[in-house]
Amino acid sequence: MKELLSTVVKPLLHHPEELQIEESKEGKKIKLEVRVDPDDMGRIIGKGGKRANAIRSVMKAKGTIDGVRVVVDIVE
Amino acid sequence: MARNKSLETSGKTVDIAVEKALEELKVRKNEVDIEILDEGETGGLLGFGRRPALVRVSLKADIVTPDDTSDDDFDLEDEDAEEIEALEYDETDREEGEETSERGFAAAENAMLDYFQDVLSGIGIHGRIDSYVDEEGSLHIDVSGSDSGAAIGRHGETLDALQYLANVVANKYVDDYLRVVVDVAGYRKRSEERIRDLANRTADKVMATGREMKLKPMNPAERRLVHICLREHPGIVTYSEGRDPRRHIVVAPSAGVEVIDDKRK
């Protein structure tokens, strides 16, 4: 999960080295907490949350294959 | 050296928005990085669904012109990540003192295809990827293979997300706007055909009954398709009403109907 999220997100950022992802699992739910450089917040969220939603859709696709529910939290 | 100076501008098209920003910053296109925040929507008949393009234009930390692009670019100290990344991607496709738009596109295409492939295999899909450029210059990526269904998702949600992200990444590396269209196992093509069918059938019913009909909520691309499809249909007008994600098209008989553009509300 974590690797895919990193693959999806990194090219969107100006400071990819600051990307941090924490993965935790509760039963059938996987939670991914994402932290980026403050300068990159807009680049990961996008206008009206468009990028964040696209990122979540892609993660959900993997969740469907793996049989888990994926929650992506972008932490400020 | 002005660092991190950036500006967001909007305009009818991406090019116009970029032009505005360049004028404001008093720089040339090769001195900035352009990020397309919203490609906008030119709108269909009568401008329905029109939305301005939005771009963020940032001054490059160190201005690298094609003439001084050489190996020692990699010795630049304290560059911001973006610049280093851009140089790395250009490395194979850019030669000294020479940069054509074709090269820029090839670099963007390669970078985007790499990204797309990595994301797809990360999801767990190992289908075949074909790509080609159509007459309008749009880059098409067609994914096929038995396990590719997961890349479509419910109502094409995953497909749209993949296409959106591919567009974001592709345009990170080119100045000119490169449009990417992603399809999986012909899903987009078929759903476009279904929408055209639905539009024509609805128009026939409206003509037969003389009463207007509402279509199901659609995204801007789908609504645009309906407007274009019924543009030439005699006796029919189409308009959109409601707000996203419930925004939908109304197909109405044109006689005695006043067209209301509620986009301005």
Side-chain angles (χ1 to χ4, degrees), chain B residues 94-105:
Chain B
R94 188 190 283 183
E95 285 169 16
E96 281 177 52
E98 183 182 11
E99 186 194 33
T100 65
S101 138
E102 221 167 278
R103 273 174 193 284
F105 265 65

Side-chain angles (χ1 to χ4, degrees), chain B residues 34-51:
Chain B
I34 296 161
E35 190 188 357
I36 296 162
L37 302 173
D38 190 337
E39 63 207 48
E41 189 73 49
T42 46
L45 179 70
L46 302 172
F48 289 129
R50 188 178 291 161
R51 199 174 70 228

Side-chain angles (χ1 to χ4, degrees), chain B residues 114-135:
Chain B
D114 282 349
Y115 174 77
F116 192 80
Q117 193 126 38
D118 288 348
V119 170
L120 220 54
S121 63
I123 294 173
I125 296 162
H126 304 283
R128 185 187 145 148
I129 297 178
D130 292 304
S131 69
Y132 65 95
V133 178
D134 71 13
E135 320 83 63

